Amino acid sequence: MAAPREAPERRPFGRRFLTDPARLFQHNAWDNVEWSEEQEASARSKVQENSSQLLPQDKQEEYEVNAKRYWDDFYKIHENGFFKDRHWLFTEFPELAPNRSPSQNGDSAHKFSNKEVSNSEGLGSCENGHCSLETRAENQLNMIKSTPKVCMEELAAQKSSELNQSDGDYPGSSASYRILEVGCGAGNTVFPILQTNNDPGLFVYCCDFSTTAVDLVQNNAEYDSSRCFAFVHDLCNDQSPFPMPDQSLDVVILIFVLSAILPEKMQCIVSRLSRLLKPGGMILLRDYGRYDLAQLRFKKGQCLSDNFYVRGDGTRVYFFTQDELNDLFMTAGLEKIQNLVDRRLQVNRGKQMTMYRVWIQCKYRKPTAPPL
Protein backbone atom coordinates (compact mmCIF):
# COMPACT_ATOMS: atom_id res chain seq x y z
CA MET A 1 0.00 0.00 0.00
CA ALA A 2 1.38 3.40 -0.95
CA ALA A 3 2.22 5.93 1.71
CA PRO A 4 -0.43 8.61 2.21
CA ARG A 5 0.03 11.84 0.29
CA GLU A 6 1.63 14.62 2.26
CA ALA A 7 -1.05 17.10 3.24
CA PRO A 8 -0.82 20.56 1.70
CA GLU A 9 -0.20 23.53 3.93
CA ARG A 10 -3.20 24.10 6.15
CA ARG A 11 -4.55 27.61 6.40
CA PRO A 12 -6.25 27.98 9.78
CA PHE A 13 -9.48 29.80 10.16
CA GLY A 14 -11.18 30.85 13.33
CA ARG A 15 -13.86 33.20 14.45
CA ARG A 16 -11.56 36.21 14.43
CA PHE A 17 -10.41 35.38 10.91
CA LEU A 18 -13.88 34.85 9.51
CA THR A 19 -15.19 38.07 11.00
CA ASP A 20 -12.48 40.18 9.37
CA PRO A 21 -13.93 40.97 5.90
CA ALA A 22 -10.97 43.12 4.91
CA ARG A 23 -8.69 40.12 5.28
CA LEU A 24 -11.13 37.41 4.27
CA PHE A 25 -12.07 38.79 0.87
CA GLN A 26 -8.50 39.22 -0.27
CA HIS A 27 -8.48 35.55 -1.28
CA ASN A 28 -10.65 33.08 -3.20
CA ALA A 29 -10.13 29.73 -1.48
CA TRP A 30 -8.28 27.75 1.17
CA ASP A 31 -7.53 24.02 0.84
CA ASN A 32 -7.76 21.39 3.57
CA VAL A 33 -9.62 23.55 6.04
CA GLU A 34 -10.13 21.91 9.43
CA TRP A 35 -13.66 21.94 10.80
CA SER A 36 -14.42 22.59 14.44
CA GLU A 37 -16.62 20.19 16.39
CA GLU A 38 -19.32 22.87 16.46
CA GLN A 39 -19.25 23.28 12.68
CA GLU A 40 -19.54 19.55 12.06
CA ALA A 41 -22.37 19.28 14.59
CA SER A 42 -24.20 22.13 12.84
CA ALA A 43 -23.78 20.41 9.46
CA ARG A 44 -25.05 17.13 10.86
CA SER A 45 -28.08 18.91 12.29
CA LYS A 46 -28.90 20.49 8.91
CA VAL A 47 -28.73 17.12 7.19
CA GLN A 48 -31.00 15.54 9.79
CA GLU A 49 -33.46 18.35 9.22
CA ASN A 50 -33.49 18.28 5.42
CA SER A 51 -33.73 14.48 5.31
CA SER A 52 -36.53 14.19 7.86
CA GLN A 53 -39.14 14.18 5.07
CA LEU A 54 -38.55 11.66 2.27
CA LEU A 55 -40.15 11.86 -1.16
CA PRO A 56 -43.04 9.42 -1.67
CA GLN A 57 -42.09 6.11 -3.28
CA ASP A 58 -43.97 6.83 -6.51
CA LYS A 59 -42.04 10.10 -6.98
CA GLN A 60 -38.73 8.31 -6.35
CA GLU A 61 -39.60 5.75 -9.00
CA GLU A 62 -40.49 8.53 -11.42
CA TYR A 63 -37.04 10.13 -11.04
CA GLU A 64 -35.41 6.73 -11.59
CA VAL A 65 -37.42 5.86 -14.70
CA ASN A 66 -36.96 9.31 -16.27
CA ALA A 67 -33.31 9.75 -15.29
CA LYS A 68 -32.03 9.82 -18.86
CA ARG A 69 -34.48 12.52 -19.88
CA TYR A 70 -33.41 14.73 -16.96
CA TRP A 71 -29.74 14.51 -17.94
CA ASP A 72 -30.50 15.06 -21.63
CA ASP A 73 -32.45 18.19 -20.67
CA PHE A 74 -29.56 19.34 -18.50
CA TYR A 75 -27.07 19.17 -21.39
CA LYS A 76 -29.51 20.71 -23.85
CA ILE A 77 -29.70 23.73 -21.54
CA HIS A 78 -26.04 24.03 -20.54
CA GLU A 79 -24.32 22.40 -23.56
CA ASN A 80 -20.55 22.76 -23.02
CA GLY A 81 -20.70 25.90 -20.87
CA PHE A 82 -21.23 24.34 -17.44
CA PHE A 83 -17.80 22.94 -16.52
CA LYS A 84 -14.68 25.00 -17.09
CA ASP A 85 -10.99 25.00 -16.29
CA ARG A 86 -10.22 21.74 -14.51
CA HIS A 87 -6.73 23.04 -13.78
CA TRP A 88 -6.26 20.53 -10.96
CA LEU A 89 -6.72 17.51 -13.22
CA PHE A 90 -3.10 16.62 -14.00
CA THR A 91 -1.70 17.72 -10.66
CA GLU A 92 -3.97 15.38 -8.76
CA PHE A 93 -4.15 12.67 -11.41
CA PRO A 94 -0.74 12.52 -13.16
CA GLU A 95 -1.74 9.07 -14.41
CA LEU A 96 -3.73 10.87 -17.11
CA ALA A 97 -0.63 12.47 -18.62
CA PRO A 98 2.25 10.00 -18.25
CA ASN A 99 4.31 11.39 -21.15
CA ARG A 100 3.98 15.14 -20.77
CA SER A 101 6.86 17.24 -22.03
CA PRO A 102 8.39 19.80 -19.58
CA SER A 103 6.60 22.69 -21.27
CA GLN A 104 3.26 20.92 -21.05
CA ASN A 105 3.91 20.05 -17.44
CA GLY A 106 4.43 23.69 -16.54
CA ASP A 107 1.36 24.85 -18.38
CA SER A 108 -1.03 22.17 -17.19
CA ALA A 109 -0.26 21.54 -13.53
CA HIS A 110 -2.19 23.69 -11.09
CA LYS A 111 -3.73 23.30 -7.69
CA PHE A 112 -7.45 22.74 -7.28
CA SER A 113 -9.24 25.64 -8.91
CA ASN A 114 -12.43 27.12 -7.57
CA LYS A 115 -13.37 27.78 -11.21
CA GLU A 116 -14.28 24.12 -11.42
CA VAL A 117 -17.28 24.73 -9.20
CA SER A 118 -17.95 28.37 -9.95
CA ASN A 119 -21.23 27.45 -11.61
CA SER A 120 -21.73 24.21 -9.76
CA GLU A 121 -24.03 22.69 -7.21
CA GLY A 122 -23.18 25.15 -4.45
CA LEU A 123 -24.90 27.89 -6.41
CA GLY A 124 -27.99 25.89 -7.21
CA SER A 125 -27.05 23.69 -10.17
CA CYS A 126 -25.37 20.28 -10.44
CA GLU A 127 -22.43 18.19 -11.61
CA ASN A 128 -22.38 15.73 -14.48
CA GLY A 129 -22.80 11.99 -14.02
CA HIS A 130 -24.80 8.85 -14.67
CA CYS A 131 -28.10 7.67 -13.30
CA SER A 132 -29.64 4.31 -13.87
CA LEU A 133 -32.70 3.78 -16.04
CA GLU A 134 -34.98 0.95 -14.88
CA THR A 135 -38.60 -0.07 -14.99
CA ARG A 136 -40.74 0.79 -12.00
CA ALA A 137 -41.08 -2.87 -11.14
CA GLU A 138 -37.29 -3.33 -11.10
CA ASN A 139 -36.88 -0.28 -8.90
CA GLN A 140 -39.39 -1.57 -6.37
CA LEU A 141 -37.73 -4.97 -6.37
CA ASN A 142 -34.24 -3.58 -5.85
CA MET A 143 -35.38 -1.54 -2.86
CA ILE A 144 -36.26 -4.69 -0.95
CA LYS A 145 -33.76 -7.20 -2.34
CA SER A 146 -30.33 -7.53 -0.81
CA THR A 147 -27.62 -5.80 -2.80
CA PRO A 148 -25.15 -8.73 -2.98
CA LYS A 149 -27.69 -11.02 -4.69
CA VAL A 150 -28.63 -8.39 -7.27
CA CYS A 151 -24.97 -7.65 -7.96
CA MET A 152 -24.07 -11.28 -8.51
CA GLU A 153 -26.87 -11.76 -11.00
CA GLU A 154 -25.98 -8.62 -12.95
CA LEU A 155 -22.26 -9.36 -12.96
CA ALA A 156 -22.83 -12.89 -14.22
CA ALA A 157 -25.02 -11.64 -17.07
CA GLN A 158 -22.53 -8.93 -18.01
CA LYS A 159 -19.62 -11.37 -17.93
CA SER A 160 -21.43 -13.75 -20.26
CA SER A 161 -22.19 -10.91 -22.69
CA GLU A 162 -18.65 -9.54 -22.79
CA LEU A 163 -16.96 -12.93 -23.16
CA ASN A 164 -18.34 -13.04 -26.69
CA GLN A 165 -16.37 -9.93 -27.65
CA SER A 166 -13.29 -10.33 -29.82
CA ASP A 167 -10.20 -9.03 -28.01
CA GLY A 168 -8.52 -7.98 -31.24
CA ASP A 169 -11.32 -6.09 -32.97
CA TYR A 170 -12.44 -3.03 -31.04
CA PRO A 171 -11.73 0.74 -31.09
CA GLY A 172 -8.29 1.43 -29.68
CA SER A 173 -7.21 -2.22 -29.84
CA SER A 174 -3.73 -1.23 -31.08
CA ALA A 175 -3.17 1.37 -28.35
CA SER A 176 -0.65 0.81 -25.56
CA TYR A 177 -2.30 3.08 -22.95
CA ARG A 178 -6.09 3.18 -22.67
CA ILE A 179 -8.17 5.54 -20.55
CA LEU A 180 -11.94 5.44 -20.03
CA GLU A 181 -13.86 8.36 -18.58
CA VAL A 182 -17.30 7.41 -17.34
CA GLY A 183 -19.74 10.31 -17.30
CA CYS A 184 -17.80 12.45 -19.75
CA GLY A 185 -20.42 15.18 -20.07
CA ALA A 186 -19.42 17.69 -22.73
CA GLY A 187 -15.76 16.62 -22.68
CA ASN A 188 -14.18 18.89 -20.06
CA THR A 189 -11.85 16.08 -18.96
CA VAL A 190 -11.46 14.19 -22.23
CA PHE A 191 -10.24 17.09 -24.34
CA PRO A 192 -7.61 18.31 -21.84
CA ILE A 193 -6.26 14.74 -21.75
CA LEU A 194 -6.03 14.57 -25.54
CA GLN A 195 -4.40 18.02 -25.66
CA THR A 196 -1.91 17.34 -22.86
CA ASN A 197 -0.94 13.69 -23.18
CA ASN A 198 1.57 13.29 -26.03
CA ASP A 199 1.81 9.50 -25.82
CA PRO A 200 1.40 8.19 -29.39
CA GLY A 201 -0.01 4.98 -27.93
CA LEU A 202 -2.77 6.77 -26.03
CA PHE A 203 -6.44 6.03 -26.72
CA VAL A 204 -9.25 7.64 -24.73
CA TYR A 205 -12.75 6.21 -24.41
CA CYS A 206 -15.52 8.34 -22.99
CA CYS A 207 -19.16 7.58 -22.33
CA ASP A 208 -22.19 9.22 -20.84
CA PHE A 209 -25.73 8.26 -19.96
CA SER A 210 -26.93 11.31 -21.91
CA THR A 211 -27.15 11.08 -25.69
CA THR A 212 -27.04 14.89 -25.81
CA ALA A 213 -23.74 14.94 -23.91
CA VAL A 214 -22.12 12.39 -26.23
CA ASP A 215 -23.32 14.35 -29.26
CA LEU A 216 -21.61 17.44 -27.84
CA VAL A 217 -18.32 15.54 -27.54
CA GLN A 218 -18.52 14.01 -31.01
CA ASN A 219 -19.38 17.36 -32.60
CA ASN A 220 -16.54 19.21 -30.87
CA ALA A 221 -13.88 20.45 -33.32
CA GLU A 222 -11.19 18.80 -31.17
CA TYR A 223 -12.76 15.33 -31.31
CA ASP A 224 -10.28 12.99 -33.03
CA SER A 225 -11.70 9.56 -33.80
CA SER A 226 -8.18 8.16 -34.27
CA ARG A 227 -7.43 8.83 -30.58
CA CYS A 228 -10.87 8.88 -28.95
CA PHE A 229 -14.13 6.94 -29.00
CA ALA A 230 -17.25 8.49 -27.45
CA PHE A 231 -20.33 6.33 -26.88
CA VAL A 232 -23.63 6.32 -25.02
CA HIS A 233 -23.68 3.90 -22.10
CA ASP A 234 -26.00 3.18 -19.19
CA LEU A 235 -23.80 1.83 -16.40
CA CYS A 236 -26.74 0.26 -14.61
CA ASN A 237 -27.98 -1.67 -17.62
CA ASP A 238 -26.13 -4.98 -17.41
CA GLN A 239 -27.10 -5.73 -21.03
CA SER A 240 -25.22 -2.64 -22.27
CA PRO A 241 -21.76 -3.89 -23.33
CA PHE A 242 -18.58 -1.88 -23.33
CA PRO A 243 -16.70 -1.50 -26.64
CA MET A 244 -13.50 -2.85 -25.07
CA PRO A 245 -12.87 -6.26 -23.45
CA ASP A 246 -12.09 -7.01 -19.83
CA GLN A 247 -8.56 -6.28 -18.57
CA SER A 248 -7.84 -3.82 -21.37
CA LEU A 249 -7.80 -0.44 -19.58
CA ASP A 250 -5.01 1.33 -17.73
CA VAL A 251 -7.23 3.99 -16.12
CA VAL A 252 -10.94 4.52 -15.42
CA ILE A 253 -12.00 8.05 -14.43
CA LEU A 254 -15.06 8.86 -12.30
CA ILE A 255 -15.39 12.61 -11.68
CA PHE A 256 -18.64 13.59 -9.94
CA VAL A 257 -20.32 10.52 -11.49
CA LEU A 258 -20.79 7.76 -8.93
CA SER A 259 -22.82 10.14 -6.76
CA ALA A 260 -25.51 10.33 -9.47
CA ILE A 261 -26.23 6.60 -9.32
CA LEU A 262 -28.88 4.92 -7.18
CA PRO A 263 -26.94 3.84 -4.04
CA GLU A 264 -28.19 0.26 -4.33
CA LYS A 265 -26.48 0.02 -7.72
CA MET A 266 -23.08 1.46 -6.83
CA GLN A 267 -21.36 -1.79 -5.83
CA CYS A 268 -22.37 -3.50 -9.06
CA ILE A 269 -21.05 -0.56 -11.06
CA VAL A 270 -17.67 -0.44 -9.33
CA SER A 271 -17.25 -4.21 -9.63
CA ARG A 272 -18.10 -4.10 -13.30
CA LEU A 273 -15.64 -1.28 -14.00
CA SER A 274 -12.88 -3.01 -12.06
CA ARG A 275 -13.06 -5.97 -14.45
CA LEU A 276 -12.14 -3.66 -17.33
CA LEU A 277 -8.80 -2.79 -15.72
CA LYS A 278 -5.52 -4.46 -16.57
CA PRO A 279 -3.60 -5.80 -13.57
CA GLY A 280 -2.04 -2.66 -12.12
CA GLY A 281 -4.71 -0.44 -13.69
CA MET A 282 -6.38 2.24 -11.58
CA ILE A 283 -9.74 3.84 -10.92
CA LEU A 284 -9.49 7.58 -10.21
CA LEU A 285 -12.42 9.22 -8.45
CA ARG A 286 -13.37 12.69 -7.28
CA ASP A 287 -16.85 13.20 -5.85
CA TYR A 288 -19.02 14.86 -3.23
CA GLY A 289 -18.20 14.36 0.45
CA ARG A 290 -20.60 14.26 3.38
CA TYR A 291 -21.72 17.70 4.59
CA ASP A 292 -20.67 19.50 1.42
CA LEU A 293 -22.36 22.87 0.98
CA ALA A 294 -24.59 21.36 -1.68
CA GLN A 295 -25.98 18.81 0.78
CA LEU A 296 -26.63 21.42 3.44
CA ARG A 297 -28.57 23.61 1.00
CA PHE A 298 -31.20 21.03 0.16
CA LYS A 299 -34.67 21.70 1.55
CA LYS A 300 -37.13 19.31 3.12
CA GLY A 301 -38.89 17.20 0.53
CA GLN A 302 -35.84 16.75 -1.73
CA CYS A 303 -34.38 13.75 0.08
CA LEU A 304 -34.76 10.30 -1.51
CA SER A 305 -32.89 8.24 1.10
CA ASP A 306 -29.98 8.69 3.49
CA ASN A 307 -27.64 11.32 1.96
CA PHE A 308 -29.28 10.92 -1.49
CA TYR A 309 -31.22 13.87 -2.94
CA VAL A 310 -32.99 15.09 -6.05
CA ARG A 311 -32.16 18.52 -7.45
CA GLY A 312 -34.68 20.95 -8.87
CA ASP A 313 -33.88 19.81 -12.42
CA GLY A 314 -34.63 16.15 -11.62
CA THR A 315 -31.02 14.92 -11.46
CA ARG A 316 -29.85 13.21 -8.30
CA VAL A 317 -26.79 13.28 -6.05
CA TYR A 318 -25.30 11.27 -3.19
CA PHE A 319 -22.78 12.51 -0.58
CA PHE A 320 -20.09 10.00 0.43
CA THR A 321 -17.87 9.23 3.39
CA GLN A 322 -14.36 7.90 2.87
CA ASP A 323 -15.30 4.58 4.46
CA GLU A 324 -18.24 4.08 2.08
CA LEU A 325 -16.04 4.55 -0.97
CA ASN A 326 -13.32 2.37 0.49
CA ASP A 327 -15.82 -0.45 1.02
CA LEU A 328 -17.08 -0.17 -2.57
CA PHE A 329 -13.61 -0.43 -4.10
CA MET A 330 -12.21 -3.03 -1.71
CA THR A 331 -15.26 -5.25 -2.25
CA ALA A 332 -14.54 -5.00 -5.99
CA GLY A 333 -11.08 -6.47 -5.35
CA LEU A 334 -9.08 -3.25 -5.66
CA GLU A 335 -6.34 -2.00 -3.32
CA LYS A 336 -6.22 1.48 -1.86
CA ILE A 337 -3.60 3.92 -3.09
CA GLN A 338 -5.31 7.13 -2.00
CA ASN A 339 -8.51 8.05 -0.17
CA LEU A 340 -8.57 11.60 1.14
CA VAL A 341 -11.10 14.28 1.95
CA ASP A 342 -10.59 17.90 0.89
CA ARG A 343 -12.55 20.42 2.94
CA ARG A 344 -12.32 23.70 1.11
CA LEU A 345 -13.29 27.23 2.08
CA GLN A 346 -14.38 29.28 -0.92
CA VAL A 347 -15.20 32.96 -0.94
CA ASN A 348 -17.64 34.69 -3.27
CA ARG A 349 -16.31 38.24 -3.24
CA GLY A 350 -19.27 39.75 -5.07
CA LYS A 351 -21.82 38.37 -2.62
CA GLN A 352 -19.40 38.45 0.33
CA MET A 353 -20.26 34.83 1.12
CA THR A 354 -18.16 32.01 2.54
CA MET A 355 -18.83 28.50 1.22
CA TYR A 356 -17.50 25.24 2.60
CA ARG A 357 -17.05 22.51 0.00
CA VAL A 358 -16.25 18.89 0.83
CA TRP A 359 -14.87 16.55 -1.82
CA ILE A 360 -13.37 13.08 -1.65
CA GLN A 361 -10.57 11.94 -3.93
CA CYS A 362 -9.62 8.29 -4.40
CA LYS A 363 -7.18 6.12 -6.32
CA TYR A 364 -7.65 2.35 -6.22
CA ARG A 365 -5.53 -0.18 -8.11
CA LYS A 366 -6.17 -3.64 -9.47
CA PRO A 367 -3.63 -6.05 -7.95
CA THR A 368 -0.94 -7.25 -10.31
CA ALA A 369 -1.27 -10.75 -8.93
CA PRO A 370 -4.37 -12.56 -7.62
CA PRO A 371 -4.61 -12.73 -3.81
CA LEU A 372 -3.37 -15.96 -2.24
Side-chain angles (χ1 to χ4, degrees):
M1 182 179 297
R5 190 183 70 168
E6 182 179 350
E9 176 187 0
R10 296 184 181 274
R11 297 173 175 81
F13 71 100
R15 292 181 180 176
R16 287 174 55 194
F17 181 82
L18 291 180
T19 55
D20 183 359
R23 184 180 179 188
L24 179 63
F25 293 102
Q26 292 174 359
H27 305 280
N28 287 323
W30 291 260
D31 294 326
N32 295 289
V33 172
E34 293 184 355
W35 282 26
S36 66
E37 292 182 5
E38 292 81 5
Q39 187 173 3
E40 186 159 348
S42 175
R44 188 181 304 111
S45 176
K46 288 181 181 179
V47 167
Q48 290 173 347
E49 180 181 358
N50 69 24
S51 60
S52 61
Q53 178 183 336
L54 299 182
L55 265 71
Q57 186 64 34
D58 60 336
K59 292 294 294 182
Q60 296 201 31
E61 293 164 6
E62 178 183 334
Y63 286 120
E64 178 75 2
V65 171
N66 294 315
K68 186 178 187 302
R69 176 171 62 84
Y70 290 125
W71 280 109
D72 278 337
D73 289 345
F74 171 82
Y75 284 108
K76 286 175 183 177
I77 294 171
H78 296 285
E79 294 187 342
N80 62 352
F82 191 77
F83 303 102
K84 296 290 186 182
D85 303 322
R86 284 182 172 167
H87 293 309
W88 51 267
L89 190 63
F90 301 108
T91 301
E92 298 301 318
F93 297 140
E95 298 83 359
L96 303 178
N99 289 322
R100 284 179 291 169
S101 67
S103 62
Q104 287 174 312
N105 190 57
D107 292 339
S108 300
H110 300 274
K111 292 296 183 183
F112 290 123
S113 170
N114 63 326
K115 292 181 182 179
E116 163 67 12
V117 291
S118 61
N119 293 318
S120 70
E121 169 100 57
L123 300 180
S125 190
C126 54
E127 294 282 8
N128 69 322
H130 286 258
C131 304
S132 61
L133 181 62
E134 299 178 310
T135 64
R136 296 190 179 204
E138 287 174 332
N139 185 68
Q140 289 174 323
L141 194 59
N142 289 334
M143 289 294 184
I144 58 176
K145 278 188 174 182
S146 63
T147 300
K149 182 177 180 181
V150 175
C151 287
M152 290 302 295
E153 291 172 352
E154 290 187 353
L155 292 175
Q158 179 67 20
K159 187 68 176 176
S160 175
S161 171
E162 292 178 357
L163 280 175
N164 296 325
Q165 190 175 41
S166 171
D167 284 1
D169 185 20
Y170 60 93
S173 58
S174 61
S176 58
Y177 196 80
R178 304 185 189 94
I179 296 173
L180 166 66
E181 186 191 12
V182 180
C184 62
N188 296 79
T189 295
V190 169
F191 292 122
I193 293 173
L194 292 173
Q195 294 162 2
T196 303
N197 193 322
N198 59 7
D199 184 349
L202 172 71
F203 196 88
V204 180
Y205 306 90
C206 57
C207 64
D208 202 283
F209 189 43
S210 166
T211 303
T212 304
V214 173
D215 287 342
L216 288 169
V217 172
Q218 293 177 337
N219 292 326
N220 191 299
E222 297 186 37
Y223 182 72
D224 182 355
S225 60
S226 69
R227 303 182 69 212
C228 182
F229 182 72
F231 59 101
V232 177
H233 188 85
D234 179 0
L235 277 176
C236 295
N237 180 358
D238 59 289
Q239 299 302 313
S240 179
F242 287 102
M244 75 292 290
D246 287 352
Q247 300 193 54
S248 63
L249 297 178
D250 295 275
V251 176
V252 172
I253 313 167
L254 295 166
I255 297 180
F256 297 105
V257 171
L258 197 59
S259 55
I261 293 172
L262 193 70
E264 288 81 1
K265 293 287 187 177
M266 289 178 184
Q267 185 62 70
C268 300
I269 300 306
V270 173
S271 297
R272 187 179 172 206
L273 291 173
S274 71
R275 295 205 316 274
L276 295 174
L277 292 173
K278 299 175 182 177
M282 297 181 67
I283 291 182
L284 311 178
L285 175 141
R286 187 160 173 81
D287 220 320
Y288 294 109
R290 191 69 48 83
Y291 306 144
D292 178 63
L293 170 71
Q295 182 176 19
L296 304 186
R297 285 193 170 185
F298 278 108
K299 306 299 182 184
K300 285 185 179 179
Q302 291 181 273
C303 188
L304 301 167
S305 60
D306 288 347
N307 304 296
F308 191 45
Y309 301 81
V310 62
R311 304 180 179 100
D313 62 5
T315 61
R316 298 168 296 175
V317 60
Y318 186 84
F319 297 88
F320 292 99
T321 65
Q322 291 172 277
D323 288 343
E324 287 174 338
L325 286 167
N326 187 65
D327 289 344
L328 288 172
F329 289 117
M330 297 290 282
T331 301
L334 304 179
E335 56 186 18
K336 180 172 69 173
I337 303 301
Q338 180 189 78
N339 183 324
L340 59 87
V341 61
D342 180 22
R343 292 181 175 87
R344 190 164 221 260
L345 168 61
Q346 292 184 334
V347 176
N348 184 319
R349 294 187 181 186
K351 297 182 179 181
Q352 295 198 345
M353 294 171 54
T354 58
M355 301 176 289
Y356 294 93
R357 306 310 308 265
V358 182
W359 298 305
I360 297 179
Q361 183 169 296
C362 296
K363 299 181 183 183
Y364 282 79
R365 181 171 58 197
K366 190 169 191 175
T368 54
L372 298 177

